[in-house]
Coordinates of all heavy atoms in Angstrom, one line a residue:
Y1128 N -10.0 -3.2 15.9 CA -9.5 -1.8 16.1 C -10.4 -0.8 15.3 O -11.0 -1.2 14.3 CB -8.0 -1.7 15.6 CG -7.8 -1.7 14.1 CD1 -7.8 -0.5 13.4 CD2 -7.8 -2.9 13.4 CE1 -7.6 -0.6 12.0 CE2 -7.6 -2.9 12.1 CZ -7.5 -1.8 11.4 OH -7.4 -1.8 10.0
Y1129 N -10.4 0.4 15.7 CA -11.1 1.4 15.0 C -10.2 2.3 14.2 O -9.3 2.9 14.7 CB -11.9 2.3 16.0 CG -12.9 3.3 15.4 CD1 -14.1 2.8 14.9 CD2 -12.6 4.6 15.2 CE1 -15.0 3.7 14.3 CE2 -13.5 5.5 14.6 CZ -14.7 5.0 14.1 OH -15.6 5.9 13.5
G1130 N -10.4 2.3 12.9 CA -9.5 3.1 12.1 C -9.5 2.7 10.6 O -10.5 2.4 10.0
F1131 N -8.3 2.7 10.0 CA -8.1 2.5 8.6 C -7.0 1.4 8.4 O -6.7 0.7 9.3 CB -7.8 3.8 7.8 CG -8.7 4.9 8.1 CD1 -8.5 5.8 9.1 CD2 -9.8 5.0 7.3 CE1 -9.4 6.9 9.3 CE2 -10.7 6.1 7.4 CZ -10.5 7.0 8.4
G1132 N -6.5 1.4 7.1 CA -5.4 0.5 6.8 C -4.4 1.2 5.9 O -4.7 2.3 5.4
C1133 N -3.3 0.6 5.7 CA -2.3 1.2 4.8 C -1.5 0.0 4.2 O -1.0 -0.8 4.9 CB -1.3 2.2 5.5 SG -0.2 3.0 4.4
T1134 N -1.4 0.0 2.9 CA -0.6 -1.0 2.2 C 0.8 -0.3 1.8 O 0.8 0.7 1.2 CB -1.3 -1.5 0.9 OG1 -2.5 -2.2 1.3 CG2 -0.4 -2.5 0.2
I1135 N 1.9 -1.0 2.2 CA 3.2 -0.4 2.0 C 4.1 -1.3 1.2 O 4.1 -2.5 1.5 CB 3.8 0.0 3.3 CG1 3.0 1.1 4.0 CG2 5.2 0.5 3.1 CD1 3.4 1.4 5.5
V1136 N 4.9 -0.8 0.3 CA 6.0 -1.5 -0.3 C 7.2 -0.9 0.2 O 7.4 0.3 0.2 CB 6.0 -1.4 -1.8 CG1 7.3 -2.1 -2.4 CG2 4.8 -2.1 -2.4
S1137 N 8.1 -1.7 0.8 CA 9.4 -1.2 1.4 C 10.6 -1.9 0.8 O 10.5 -3.0 0.3 CB 9.3 -1.3 2.9 OG 9.6 -2.6 3.3
T1138 N 11.7 -1.3 1.0 CA 13.0 -1.9 0.6 C 14.1 -1.3 1.4 O 13.9 -0.3 2.1 CB 13.2 -1.7 -0.9 OG1 14.4 -2.4 -1.3 CG2 13.4 -0.3 -1.3
G1139 N 15.3 -1.8 1.2 CA 16.5 -1.2 1.9 C 16.3 -1.1 3.4 O 15.8 -2.0 4.1
A1140 N 16.8 0.0 3.9 CA 16.8 0.2 5.4 C 15.5 0.8 5.9 O 15.3 1.9 6.3 CB 17.9 1.2 5.7
K1141 N 14.4 -0.1 5.9 CA 13.1 0.3 6.4 C 12.6 1.5 5.6 O 12.0 2.4 6.3 CB 13.1 0.6 7.9 CG 13.7 -0.6 8.7 CD 13.7 -0.2 10.2 CE 14.4 -1.3 11.0 NZ 14.6 -0.9 12.4
I1142 N 12.7 1.5 4.3 CA 12.3 2.7 3.5 C 11.0 2.4 2.8 O 11.0 1.5 1.9 CB 13.4 3.1 2.6 CG1 14.6 3.6 3.4 CG2 12.9 4.3 1.7 CD1 15.8 3.9 2.5
P1143 N 9.9 3.1 3.0 CA 8.7 2.9 2.2 C 8.9 3.6 0.9 O 9.3 4.7 0.8 CB 7.6 3.6 3.1 CG 8.3 4.6 3.8 CD 9.7 4.1 4.1
I1144 N 8.6 2.9 -0.2 CA 8.7 3.5 -1.5 C 7.4 3.6 -2.3 O 7.4 4.3 -3.3 CB 9.7 2.7 -2.4 CG1 9.3 1.3 -2.6 CG2 11.1 2.8 -1.7 CD1 10.1 0.5 -3.6
A1145 N 6.4 3.0 -1.8 CA 5.0 3.1 -2.4 C 4.0 2.7 -1.3 O 4.3 1.9 -0.5 CB 4.9 2.2 -3.6
A1146 N 2.9 3.4 -1.4 CA 1.9 3.2 -0.3 C 0.5 3.6 -0.8 O 0.4 4.4 -1.7 CB 2.3 3.9 1.0
E1147 N -0.5 3.1 -0.1 CA -1.9 3.6 -0.3 C -2.6 3.4 1.0 O -2.5 2.4 1.7 CB -2.5 2.8 -1.4 CG -3.9 3.4 -1.8 CD -3.9 4.9 -2.0 OE1 -4.0 5.7 -1.1 OE2 -3.7 5.3 -3.2
F1148 N -3.4 4.4 1.2 CA -4.3 4.5 2.4 C -5.6 3.7 2.0 O -6.2 3.9 1.0 CB -4.6 5.9 2.7 CG -5.4 6.2 3.9 CD1 -4.9 6.0 5.2 CD2 -6.8 6.6 3.8 CE1 -5.7 6.3 6.3 CE2 -7.5 6.9 4.9 CZ -7.0 6.7 6.1
T1149 N -6.0 2.8 2.9 CA -7.2 2.0 2.6 C -8.2 2.1 3.8 O -7.9 2.5 4.9 CB -6.8 0.6 2.4 OG1 -6.0 0.1 3.5 CG2 -6.0 0.4 1.1
Q1150 N -9.5 1.7 3.5 CA -10.5 1.7 4.5 C -10.3 0.7 5.6 O -10.6 0.9 6.7 CB -11.9 1.6 3.9 CG -13.0 1.8 4.8 CD -13.1 3.2 5.4 OE1 -12.9 4.1 4.6 NE2 -13.5 3.3 6.6
T1151 N -9.8 -0.5 5.2 CA -9.5 -1.6 6.1 C -8.0 -2.0 6.0 O -7.3 -1.6 5.1 CB -10.4 -2.8 5.8 OG1 -10.1 -3.3 4.5 CG2 -11.8 -2.4 5.9
K1152 N -7.6 -2.8 6.9 CA -6.2 -3.2 6.8 C -5.9 -4.0 5.6 O -4.9 -3.7 4.9 CB -5.9 -4.1 8.1 CG -4.4 -4.7 8.0 CD -4.1 -5.6 9.2 CE -2.7 -6.1 9.1 NZ -2.4 -7.0 10.3
Q1153 N -6.7 -5.0 5.2 CA -6.5 -5.8 4.0 C -6.9 -5.0 2.8 O -8.1 -4.7 2.6 CB -7.2 -7.1 4.1 CG -6.8 -8.1 3.1 CD -5.3 -8.4 3.2 OE1 -4.8 -8.8 4.2 NE2 -4.6 -8.3 2.0
A1154 N -5.9 -4.8 1.9 CA -6.2 -4.1 0.7 C -6.9 -5.0 -0.4 O -6.6 -6.2 -0.4 CB -5.0 -3.5 0.1
D1155 N -7.7 -4.5 -1.2 CA -8.3 -5.3 -2.3 C -7.2 -5.5 -3.4 O -6.2 -4.9 -3.4 CB -9.6 -4.7 -2.8 CG -9.4 -3.3 -3.3 OD1 -8.3 -2.9 -3.8 OD2 -10.4 -2.5 -3.3
Q1156 N -7.6 -6.3 -4.3 CA -6.6 -6.7 -5.4 C -6.3 -5.4 -6.2 O -5.1 -5.3 -6.6 CB -7.2 -7.8 -6.3 CG -6.2 -8.2 -7.4 CD -6.7 -9.4 -8.2 OE1 -7.6 -10.2 -7.7 NE2 -6.3 -9.6 -9.4
K1157 N -7.2 -4.6 -6.5 CA -7.0 -3.4 -7.3 C -6.0 -2.5 -6.7 O -5.0 -2.0 -7.3 CB -8.3 -2.6 -7.6 CG -8.2 -1.4 -8.4 CD -9.5 -0.8 -8.6 CE -9.4 0.5 -9.5 NZ -10.8 1.2 -9.7
T1158 N -6.1 -2.3 -5.4 CA -5.2 -1.4 -4.6 C -3.8 -2.1 -4.6 O -2.8 -1.4 -4.8 CB -5.7 -1.2 -3.2 OG1 -6.9 -0.6 -3.2 CG2 -4.7 -0.4 -2.4
A1159 N -3.7 -3.4 -4.4 CA -2.4 -4.1 -4.3 C -1.7 -3.9 -5.7 O -0.5 -3.7 -5.7 CB -2.6 -5.5 -4.0
M1160 N -2.4 -4.0 -6.8 CA -1.8 -3.9 -8.1 C -1.3 -2.5 -8.3 O -0.2 -2.3 -8.8 CB -2.8 -4.3 -9.2 CG -3.2 -5.8 -9.2 SD -1.7 -6.8 -9.6 CE -1.4 -6.3 -11.3
R1161 N -2.1 -1.5 -7.9 CA -1.7 -0.1 -8.0 C -0.4 0.2 -7.2 O 0.5 0.9 -7.7 CB -2.8 0.9 -7.6 CG -2.5 2.3 -7.9 CD -3.7 3.2 -7.7 NE -4.2 3.2 -6.3 CZ -5.4 2.7 -6.0 NH1 -6.1 2.0 -6.9 NH2 -5.8 2.7 -4.7
V1162 N -0.4 -0.2 -6.0 CA 0.8 0.0 -5.2 C 2.0 -0.7 -5.8 O 3.2 -0.2 -5.8 CB 0.6 -0.4 -3.7 CG1 1.8 -0.3 -2.9 CG2 -0.6 0.4 -3.1
T1163 N 1.8 -1.9 -6.3 CA 2.9 -2.6 -6.9 C 3.5 -1.9 -8.1 O 4.7 -1.8 -8.3 CB 2.4 -4.0 -7.3 OG1 2.0 -4.8 -6.2 CG2 3.6 -4.8 -8.0
R1164 N 2.6 -1.4 -9.0 CA 3.0 -0.6 -10.1 C 3.7 0.7 -9.7 O 4.7 1.0 -10.3 CB 1.8 -0.2 -11.0 CG 1.2 -1.4 -11.8 CD 0.2 -1.0 -12.9 NE -1.0 -0.4 -12.3 CZ -2.1 -1.1 -12.0 NH1 -2.1 -2.4 -12.3 NH2 -3.1 -0.6 -11.5
D1165 N 3.3 1.3 -8.7 CA 4.0 2.5 -8.2 C 5.4 2.2 -7.7 O 6.3 2.9 -7.9 CB 3.2 3.1 -7.0 CG 1.9 3.8 -7.5 OD1 1.7 4.0 -8.7 OD2 1.0 4.1 -6.6
A1166 N 5.5 1.0 -7.1 CA 6.9 0.6 -6.6 C 7.8 0.3 -7.8 O 9.0 0.7 -7.8 CB 6.7 -0.6 -5.7
L1167 N 7.3 -0.3 -8.8 CA 8.1 -0.7 -10.0 C 8.5 0.6 -10.7 O 9.5 0.6 -11.5 CB 7.4 -1.6 -10.9 CG 7.1 -3.0 -10.3 CD1 6.5 -3.9 -11.4 CD2 8.3 -3.7 -9.7
A1168 N 7.7 1.7 -10.6 CA 8.0 2.9 -11.3 C 9.3 3.6 -10.6 O 9.9 4.4 -11.3 CB 6.8 3.9 -11.2
V1169 N 9.6 3.2 -9.4 CA 10.8 3.7 -8.7 C 12.0 3.1 -9.3 O 13.0 3.7 -9.7 CB 10.7 3.5 -7.2 CG1 12.0 4.0 -6.5 CG2 9.5 4.2 -6.6
D1170 N 12.0 1.8 -9.4 CA 13.1 1.0 -9.9 C 12.6 -0.4 -10.1 O 11.6 -0.8 -9.5 CB 14.3 1.1 -9.1 CG 15.6 0.7 -9.8 OD1 15.5 0.3 -11.0 OD2 16.7 0.7 -9.2

């Protein structure tokens, strides 16, 4: 496909609580860690 990617952390009723826009679908480890930390900052 032609485009980008997005890494999403979700919970509850299909609610995204943290995300990052990426160049490809598969995020690198640095991005995955950042999105994870953002999600833990919510609760």
Side-chain angles (χ1 to χ4, degrees):
Y1128 73 94
Y1129 188 75
F1131 304 95
C1133 186
T1134 298
I1135 298 173
V1136 174
S1137 76
T1138 187
K1141 305 177 187 175
I1142 298 176
I1144 60 170
E1147 187 50 273
F1148 183 75
T1149 53
Q1150 187 63 39
T1151 62
K1152 177 182 177 180
Q1153 191 59 53
D1155 57 29
Q1156 183 174 336
K1157 182 178 179 181
T1158 300
M1160 291 296 293
R1161 183 170 64 251
V1162 175
T1163 298
R1164 286 192 292 268
D1165 289 345
L1167 296 186
V1169 177
D1170 199 357

